[in-house]
Amino acid sequence: MSYIENKVVAITGASSGIGEATARLLAENGAQIVLGARRTDRLEKLAAEITGAGGKAVFTKLDVTNAASVQDFIDFAISSFGKLDVLYSNAGVMPLSMMTSRKVDEWNRMIDVNIRGVLNGIAAALPVFEQQGFGHFINTASIGAHVVVPTGAVYCATKYAVWAISEGLRQESETTRVTTICPGVVETELGHDITEETSKGALNAFRKIALSPDAIARGVCYAIDQPDDVDVNEVIIRPTRSAF
Ligand code: NDP
């Protein structure tokens, strides 16, 4: 028996990487997918692929830093499929840099997307989950929610925050499930916006052992594919060869 089939799963950051791979895998397993991100050309292509293969997917433009946009995303999910089972808050940015570079705008962007984006999702979906009497928040933190590395101070801080918010939410919730996903290094577009050359080089070296986004998608599927009384609280997925 599948607990994924017919679930309505809204995914932020579905236009590439982990979000895109998860959308595909969940759709293959019978979930109804609501895709959100800013690059709607990519979402349109992905939704067409999924529906062309016999799955169900709709898409809409989403900026997770904007609370009204996130509310519209949740409303769109419910008007499309009649309910919301899972909000997968996955959108994130990672412009790594040394603190001495004082890239304050990039720090703020990470705080806005990685932390405020998740909070906007909780604010919009929690009333829906409480009213339904069921629901599931899945938030992408990172292995950076457990270890801090040079150039990653602010990025890791945002992911520690995602971890803490998710854990607090879990403790307060009796009917809503909460899962934190902590990937190690994965081959995606993350970090394309790094402006500091030394940080770019360090990430490229780290990426040599990167996992495919499918590895994380399988972890998300595992968390969703459980009966209502089972809450998979945290999934850490690293490359076997990774020390941290
Ligand atoms: P990608 O860069 O491929 O995907 C990031 C996604 O976030 C894109 O779909 C992007 O869409 C979306 N996004 C960024 N800003 C916004 C915004 N303001 N509003 C809505 N969507 C936004 O990277 P990943 O797939 O790797 O990243 C997914 C998550 O995984 C992130 O939270 C990241 O921190 C986390 N992670 C990734 C790891 C890795 O090694 N790749 C390791 C650990 C954690 P668009 O630009 O179209 O809006």
Side-chain angles (χ1 to χ4, degrees):
M1 176 177 174
S2 163
Y3 291 98
I4 295 178
E5 205 166 350
N6 293 324
K7 278 198 172 155
V8 178
V9 184
I11 303 177
T12 77
S15 58
S16 61
I18 294 169
E20 179 183 348
T22 305
R24 280 209 177 87
L25 190 57
L26 285 169
E28 278 168 25
N29 283 276
Q32 309 174 81
I33 311 297
V34 185
L35 308 164
R38 294 164 305 172
R39 290 172 294 175
T40 49
D41 53 332
R42 292 205 183 192
L43 298 181
E44 187 174 11
K45 193 163 164 275
L46 178 58
E49 266 178 48
I50 290 172
T51 51
K56 287 188 186 155
V58 292
F59 72 94
T60 190
K61 188 171 183 141
L62 166 69
D63 181 347
V64 296
T65 67
N66 180 321
S69 174
V70 179
Q71 186 64 59
D72 288 347
F73 180 59
I74 299 303
D75 294 346
F76 174 69
I78 293 165
S79 65
S80 299
F81 293 121
K83 62 169 180 165
L84 179 67
D85 293 281
V86 183
L87 173 60
Y88 180 23
S89 285
N90 162 76
V93 292
M94 189 184 72
L96 298 174
S97 64
M98 298 292 280
M99 297 299 284
T100 48
S101 300
R102 298 193 301 158
K103 292 185 180 282
V104 177
D105 289 349
E106 294 181 0
W107 299 348
N108 287 335
R109 188 147 49 84
M110 284 189 276
I111 290 166
D112 285 344
V113 177
N114 300 0
I115 304 178
R116 289 205 173 88
V118 170
L119 288 172
N120 287 337
I122 293 168
L126 193 52
V128 175
F129 289 166
E130 286 191 328
Q131 206 231 330
Q132 293 177 159
F134 63 85
H136 191 171
F137 287 105
I138 304 181
N139 298 325
T140 304
S142 169
I143 202 61
H146 293 276
V147 287
V148 180
V149 293
T151 74
V154 178
Y155 177 75
C156 294
T158 66
K159 295 304 189 176
Y160 271 71
V162 171
W163 192 97
I165 290 163
S166 305
E167 174 59 10
L169 179 63
R170 182 193 73 73
Q171 291 177 13
E172 293 175 13
S173 304
E174 289 192 1
T175 55
T176 298
R177 300 193 286 172
V178 184
T179 302
T180 309
I181 304 287
C182 292
V185 65
V186 182
E187 186 61 54
T188 68
E189 295 169 24
L190 194 75
H192 72 276
D193 49 358
I194 294 175
T195 55
E196 197 173 70
E197 287 307 318
T198 47
S199 300
K200 268 186 205 165
L203 183 63
N204 288 339
F206 193 44
R207 282 252 158 89
K208 289 210 167 86
I209 56 163
L211 292 171
S212 150
D214 294 327
I216 313 307
R218 290 195 295 274
V220 176
C221 283
Y222 168 75
I224 296 175
D225 197 13
Q226 304 296 325
D228 279 351
D229 62 338
V230 177
D231 185 359
V232 176
N233 300 147
E234 182 172 8
V235 184
I236 300 178
I237 306 168
R238 295 181 174 96
T240 306
R241 285 196 289 154
S242 180
F244 64 92

